[in-house]
Amino acid sequence: MTYMMLLRGSISDNPLISRNYKGDVSMSEIDYFMPLLMQKEEESALTPLLSRGKVHFLWIKHSNIYLVALTMKNANASLVYSFLYKVVEVFSEYFKELEEESIRDNFVIVYELLDELMDFGFPQTTDSKILQEYITQQGNKLDTGKSRVPPTVTNAVSWRSEGIKYKKNEVFIDVIESVNLLVNANGSVLLSEIVGSIKLKVFLSGMPELRLGLNDRVLFEITGRGKNKSVELEDVKFHQCVRLSRFDNDRTISFIPPDGDFELMSYRLNTQVKPLIWIESVIEKFSHSRVEIMVKAKGQFKKQSVANGVEIYVPVPSDADSPKFKTSIGSAKYQPEKNVVVWSIKSFPGGKEYLMRAHFGLPSVENEELEGRPPISVRFEIPYFTVSGIQVRYMKIIEKSGYQALPWVRYITQSGDYQLRTH
């Protein structure tokens, strides 16, 4: 990447911020981006990468701001987009909201950050925790009290500072899985996948090395343990602290962690998942003057588990009025602005079955609905449970001072894009 700029979402506007990293892209090229984008949009040919001659514009949009990188070379596009999203993340950490006003109010700090984020066209320090050690913010002013660069920037472990001390050394591990599900009106599962992440909250002194063991199927096969109670992870992505070469060699997840909260890894399982909460609904219309909807919800997970904060969103006709509800558990509320009934159940044990009946009036004039019914969507969270069966087998904490540390593990399964179509 040779040039980067931030623009407002208007064709006549000049860049809010621009930064030339190598000087081989002419300043005049900036003026062509917005007209080119608007032209492609009108032609319904808009793409994430736009070209004019030898200049390539790689862009993303956040709120009403375009972040654009320019290059004249065959650059690594995935690297450029990762960097642009990282810029959004860093700016949001500093300003809470990345928008035109926050850019205008913090010109100095934005330039300082761009200087540290990239140098000579290559990404440099992109960890907001490290950047905040020497680029600090007081109101809208930049505090340059620390003149020396902190050792984390030049250290081999740039994501962790030296000299961290805690009275009590602990690691909290959250294994969170989101279930994406789409079921058709006949009850067949059309889409089923699990998207998981392992998040850590680290309170450890010194420069510890951590080793995490999972019931990874590839590891079990390497060590001759068979496939029982193992999980085959796909699309695994790690935090930069993980030693990838070691994971490739023997599947060991070894790392020196950042301090505080961070996502260690994410993964995906494209597998057939039995719907955890099954929904059936029956709709009856009476002489086009009223409609009754009956919804049955059943927990299809282990009886010893409980789903918390369950919300079932049932679509209703847009011209419905005079709602009346009857539920065997929880409460139902009509949201006319969204044309849905929200059935809320605070605690839903596995194996249980509940009913909700809704009665609505309809206009006396018949108005046949040509559009199809939207699907019923469900939100929930099940603690102490993972649908994939992934397990943390061990967490070893090694530090030269030899202190004892406690790892704590928590499992959570929650709804992702969870929808069930009905007749």
Side-chain angles (χ1 to χ4, degrees):
M1 189 195 321
T2 60
Y3 203 98
M4 181 182 161
M5 58 182 174
L6 283 75
L7 301 122
R8 293 184 297 269
S10 170
I11 192 167
S12 61
D13 289 334
N14 294 319
L16 288 169
I17 293 282
S18 61
R19 180 77 176 88
N20 200 331
Y21 291 106
K22 293 174 75 175
D24 56 353
V25 175
S26 168
M27 287 284 288
S28 61
E29 295 292 345
I30 301 169
D31 301 331
Y32 291 102
F33 172 71
M34 287 306 291
L36 184 62
L37 183 137
M38 300 295 281
Q39 177 192 335
K40 294 292 184 182
E41 200 168 26
E42 287 175 6
E43 295 171 356
S44 299
L46 190 60
T47 58
L49 190 151
L50 303 174
S51 298
R52 180 185 176 275
K54 294 182 179 180
V55 179
H56 307 291
F57 302 88
L58 295 88
W59 62 277
I60 63 171
K61 187 177 181 182
H62 182 83
S63 298
N64 198 35
I65 292 178
Y66 290 93
L67 289 87
V68 189
L70 283 69
T71 183
M72 294 182 68
K73 296 184 178 179
N74 186 17
N76 184 335
S78 60
L79 172 66
V80 175
Y81 286 116
S82 295
F83 177 77
L84 291 176
Y85 282 110
K86 196 68 184 178
V87 170
V88 171
E89 185 182 316
V90 170
F91 285 178
S92 299
E93 285 276 337
Y94 269 83
F95 314 134
K96 293 187 178 178
E97 292 291 337
L98 176 55
E99 52 192 22
E100 181 180 343
E101 188 178 348
S102 60
I103 296 295
R104 288 191 177 282
D105 290 345
N106 296 279
F107 261 30
V108 176
I109 198 168
V110 167
Y111 272 113
E112 286 285 334
L113 286 170
L114 290 176
D115 273 340
E116 299 300 334
L117 286 163
M118 176 163 286
D119 192 19
F120 206 66
F122 294 98
Q124 300 296 316
T125 306
T126 58
D127 191 312
S128 57
K129 289 182 180 177
I130 302 303
L131 288 166
Q132 285 169 3
E133 287 189 25
Y134 60 104
I135 299 181
T136 56
Q137 188 184 24
Q138 291 182 349
N140 298 326
K141 296 180 181 179
L142 177 65
D143 178 12
T144 54
K146 291 185 179 180
S147 56
R148 69 179 183 87
V149 176
T152 45
V153 177
T154 54
N155 191 4
V157 185
S158 62
W159 53 86
R160 185 178 179 89
S161 303
E162 294 181 357
I164 296 172
K165 291 183 180 179
Y166 287 100
K167 288 183 178 179
K168 190 175 183 181
N169 293 287
E170 295 178 304
V171 179
F172 296 90
I173 307 166
D174 280 346
V175 181
I176 303 169
E177 291 189 340
S178 297
V179 179
N180 294 332
L181 187 80
L182 178 61
V183 178
N184 69 10
N186 298 322
S188 301
V189 176
L190 302 178
L191 171 70
S192 168
E193 71 171 0
I194 302 164
V195 179
S197 69
I198 298 180
K199 298 182 179 181
L200 269 62
K201 188 175 286 188
V202 178
F203 302 106
L204 296 174
S205 304
M207 199 68 74
E209 179 174 331
L210 277 58
R211 290 175 194 164
L212 178 69
L214 303 172
N215 56 335
D216 177 12
R217 181 165 297 175
V218 177
L219 174 63
F220 275 36
E221 289 175 354
I222 292 171
T223 55
R225 300 182 192 180
K227 296 182 180 179
N228 290 340
K229 295 186 178 179
S230 63
V231 176
E232 187 174 357
L233 304 176
E234 303 169 26
D235 295 343
V236 180
K237 296 176 185 175
F238 289 110
H239 187 274
Q240 62 175 327
C241 66
V242 175
R243 295 185 177 92
L244 296 179
S245 57
R246 179 149 189 197
F247 180 78
D248 290 338
N249 287 335
D250 58 13
R251 306 292 284 190
T252 299
I253 302 172
S254 174
F255 57 99
I256 296 173
D259 188 46
D261 299 345
F262 74 102
E263 183 178 88
L264 176 68
M265 63 179 283
S266 63
Y267 59 90
R268 184 180 63 85
L269 284 87
N270 195 357
T271 182
Q272 194 75 9
V273 179
K274 183 180 180 181
L276 298 173
I277 295 180
W278 181 255
I279 304 292
E280 294 178 14
S281 73
V282 177
I283 301 174
E284 287 189 78
K285 287 188 177 181
F286 298 90
S287 305
H288 303 284
S289 61
R290 63 189 177 93
V291 62
E292 285 189 4
I293 303 172
M294 188 199 75
V295 178
K296 181 167 70 175
K298 183 178 180 180
Q300 298 192 142
F301 47 92
K302 295 178 181 178
K303 291 184 179 180
Q304 58 266 38
S305 297
V306 176
N308 296 328
V310 177
E311 291 183 338
I312 301 167
Y313 293 78
V314 183
V316 299
S318 57
D319 53 355
D321 58 23
S322 309
K324 294 177 183 177
F325 306 110
K326 188 176 181 181
T327 62
S328 59
I329 192 173
S331 61
K333 186 177 181 181
Y334 177 43
Q335 294 185 354
E337 70 280 3
K338 296 179 180 178
N339 297 322
V340 295
V341 171
V342 182
W343 181 15
S344 301
I345 304 170
K346 191 175 180 180
S347 182
F348 197 135
K352 294 289 185 180
E353 191 173 293
Y354 300 113
L355 287 172
M356 187 271 290
R357 292 180 184 272
H359 178 282
F360 287 91
L362 290 175
S364 55
V365 179
E366 179 179 340
N367 182 16
E368 193 67 35
E369 291 188 26
L370 298 176
E371 57 194 47
R373 285 192 72 228
I376 293 174
S377 59
V378 187
R379 291 181 186 173
F380 59 86
E381 184 176 282
I382 308 174
Y384 317 115
F385 172 79
T386 58
V387 68
S388 70
I390 193 171
Q391 292 179 349
V392 175
R393 293 172 47 241
Y394 63 82
M395 168 65 86
K396 294 180 181 177
I397 302 165
I398 305 158
E399 214 278 332
K400 61 184 179 181
S401 65
Y403 61 68
Q404 295 295 310
L406 296 171
W408 304 91
V409 185
R410 179 173 62 170
Y411 299 96
I412 300 170
T413 291
Q414 60 190 21
S415 56
D417 187 7
Y418 193 102
Q419 298 184 343
L420 301 99
R421 299 192 181 278
T422 56
H423 288 290

